[in-house]
Each structure stands twice: as C-alpha cells, then as structure tokens.
Amino acid sequence: MFKTTLQAFITAAKGLAITLAHFIGARRSRHALDIRKAGYFDKQEGVTTVQFPKEKMPIPEVARYQLDVEIDDCIVCDLCAKACPVDCITIESVKATGVIGKTSDGSVKRLYAAKFDIDMAKCMYCGLCTVVCPTECITMTDLYDRSMTNLAELTYSFAEMSPQEIEEKKREWSLFQAEKEAAKRK
C-alpha cells in the first residue's frame, strides 16, 4: 500500500511540474515563425496566440484549402466531378454547334458550362479534382478562413451563363441537330 501511495504522489508531482512549467512559460512569448523556414519545430518554448483575423499564420505553398475554378479555361470535361470521392462538384454542360474558343493552354472548347458548382461543405480537400484537370483550371488556393452560418453559402457557383443563355444555346443545339438529321435524309 505504501508503494502505491508513493507512486501516486510521484505521478501527481510530475503532472504538477509540467503544469507549472507551462504556467511559467506562458509569461514568455514565442515569436511568430514562418512554417516554411528551417528550424520551425526547434523553437517551441513559450506560448503564441495568433490574433485571428488581424494576424494569420503563414501557410505552406502546397497546402490544400479553398477550391477555385478559372471558368474561361474549363473545357467542361467533367473529369473533376468524376474524380471527386464525395461528389461535391456538380457540372452541367450544353453542347455548342462549333468551336467556341480556346483555353489559355490552347485546348479547344466545344461545350458551354451551364452549371459548375462546388459544395465546399462536402469537400474533403483531397485535391484529386486538381490532379485530373487537363487544362489545370481548377486549383486549390490559400484561402482557409471562410466560415458561414448557413451551409448553402458554402456552395460556390463558377458558371457565368444566365438561364436565358442556357435555353438559347440548347435551342441552337437542337436546331443544329435537326438540320443535320434533315441533311442525312436527303
């Protein structure tokens, strides 16, 4: 019994020593260090509190945070939506009657993006959508501080077409297909 009591006091003393060390260390302040610099993990003495949002921690360049889409470079291939394991990307396309332009890397655009939505509430930040994109129009940015009280606000729409434009393009495609079928019958 004496041995058990002694062990309890030793354990309590160790815990108290750790608590006191942190309490005394809190009086010293650690300087904010850039996480990308060598020796970041070597200097962990003291306490640092970041006064967010006035101050922000530096983040690595390869970090995965908010998704962004450069819709002018999108060829609406739907690969990102197919690669997404949680189905947070919703894409609807409208076929064009011909070439509608080129992307910044020279890829030909033949589809209109009627809908391109990303639900960041579902996103698990895996980056698979950015890897499969042939034109590299979908990227991860360094934004990480987007908090909302309504989950619907976390769905970002990148398509720029109005409902009227979508209907017009669908009618043009239908007319083009009808003319093509009529030409085949002749």
Side-chain angles (χ1 to χ4, degrees):
M1 183 162 145
F2 177 72
K3 191 174 181 181
T4 307
T5 307
L6 182 63
Q7 186 65 30
F9 278 116
I10 291 171
T11 304
K14 284 182 183 178
L16 184 60
I18 291 171
T19 303
L20 286 174
H22 281 284
F23 183 70
I24 293 168
R27 302 180 104 193
R28 289 177 282 139
S29 180
R30 188 173 60 182
H31 298 290
L33 303 172
D34 191 346
I35 196 168
R36 296 170 285 203
K37 301 223 181 200
Y40 173 77
F41 293 103
D42 297 338
K43 300 174 183 173
Q44 295 297 315
E45 295 298 317
V47 175
T48 297
T49 302
V50 176
Q51 299 297 321
F52 186 80
K54 295 175 195 162
E55 296 178 30
K56 292 185 181 180
M57 293 290 289
I59 58 172
E61 292 175 16
V62 293
R64 294 189 219 144
Y65 295 108
Q66 184 76 34
L67 285 171
D68 186 43
V69 177
E70 186 61 45
I71 200 70
D72 293 335
D73 283 346
C74 183
I75 57 173
V76 198
C77 63
D78 201 30
L79 289 176
C80 54
K82 291 175 184 170
C84 182
V86 292
D87 295 328
C88 69
I89 301 174
T90 307
I91 298 175
E92 290 178 11
S93 62
V94 177
K95 293 181 180 180
T97 57
V99 175
I100 58 173
K102 291 192 176 201
T103 63
S104 61
D105 70 346
S107 300
V108 177
K109 292 177 70 168
R110 297 181 189 275
L111 298 170
Y112 293 103
K115 181 177 184 181
F116 197 119
D117 294 348
I118 299 178
D119 188 354
M120 291 306 294
K122 290 182 186 177
C123 184
M124 61 184 223
Y125 305 94
C126 63
L128 291 175
C129 56
T130 63
V131 174
V132 298
C133 184
T135 60
E136 297 179 358
C137 69
I138 186 166
T139 57
M140 291 249 176
T141 64
D142 60 355
L143 297 173
Y144 61 91
D145 58 347
R146 291 194 178 178
S147 57
M148 309 289 175
T149 56
N150 184 1
L151 282 180
E153 293 176 18
L154 286 171
T155 301
Y156 299 104
S157 180
F158 295 97
E160 299 170 344
M161 293 180 73
S162 68
Q164 295 83 9
E165 288 176 317
I166 294 169
E167 287 303 316
E168 179 185 330
K169 299 301 179 189
K170 284 181 179 179
R171 266 186 267 120
E172 284 177 14
W173 176 253
S174 298
L175 186 62
F176 177 75
Q177 286 296 98
E179 289 173 0
K180 204 171 169 184
E181 287 296 320
K184 278 184 184 178
R185 288 187 216 142
K186 288 184 182 184

